[in-house]
Amino acid sequence: MDKVFVQGLEVLTTIGVYEWEKGIKQKLRFDLEMGYDIAPAALDDDINKTLDYATLSKKVTQHAEQNHVELVETMAEQIAQLILAEFAVQSVKVRLTKPNAVANAAGVGVEIERFAN
């Protein structure tokens, strides 16, 4: 299966378990990888036959900005389900990083992979 990816998509949102986190915006970084057959688009050089990563990125950004959760695990699952529901992908891998969440670490986060039914 071909892969379409979006790397380093940064979104400011409210996320966190601690009370001080609930009143501030923090950066999340999404790395997304979708299983998608790009052959028809490549054959015809037609954007209408491929996965529009600009539209996908916009929907992910809007969701993350508008849906405040406590856990990166919850956000990663929501984003995976959003992509599977709204785009004709066979699989999605979401790597979600919360930069600077832990002292002396560039970031912490989760990586999940989900498949279309």
Side-chain angles (χ1 to χ4, degrees), residues 46-116:
D46 186 350
I47 192 169
N48 296 310
K49 294 182 179 179
T50 195
L51 181 59
D52 184 343
Y53 46 79
T55 299
L56 184 140
S57 297
K58 183 176 180 181
K59 287 193 178 258
V60 168
T61 298
Q62 288 173 340
H63 182 88
E65 287 176 345
Q66 295 170 3
N67 293 277
H68 304 154
V69 298
E70 292 188 351
L71 303 176
V72 293
E73 292 85 347
T74 304
M75 182 62 71
E77 187 65 40
Q78 288 180 359
I79 294 302
Q81 295 306 318
L82 169 82
I83 293 170
L84 287 170
E86 295 196 22
F87 298 90
V89 300
Q90 294 185 349
S91 64
V92 60
K93 186 183 291 185
V94 177
R95 181 179 180 91
L96 177 52
T97 304
K98 188 175 177 184
N100 306 312
V102 173
N104 302 317
V108 299
V110 297
E111 181 175 286
I112 64 172
E113 187 169 10
R114 301 293 182 259
F115 300 89

Side-chain angles (χ1 to χ4, degrees), residues 4 10 29 32 34 36-37 40 42-43 74-75 86 114 117:
V4 175
E10 294 184 345
R29 184 174 303 117
L32 309 168
M34 287 71 56
Y36 189 85
D37 182 7
L43 182 65
T74 304
M75 182 62 71
E86 295 196 22
R114 301 293 182 259
N117 294 330

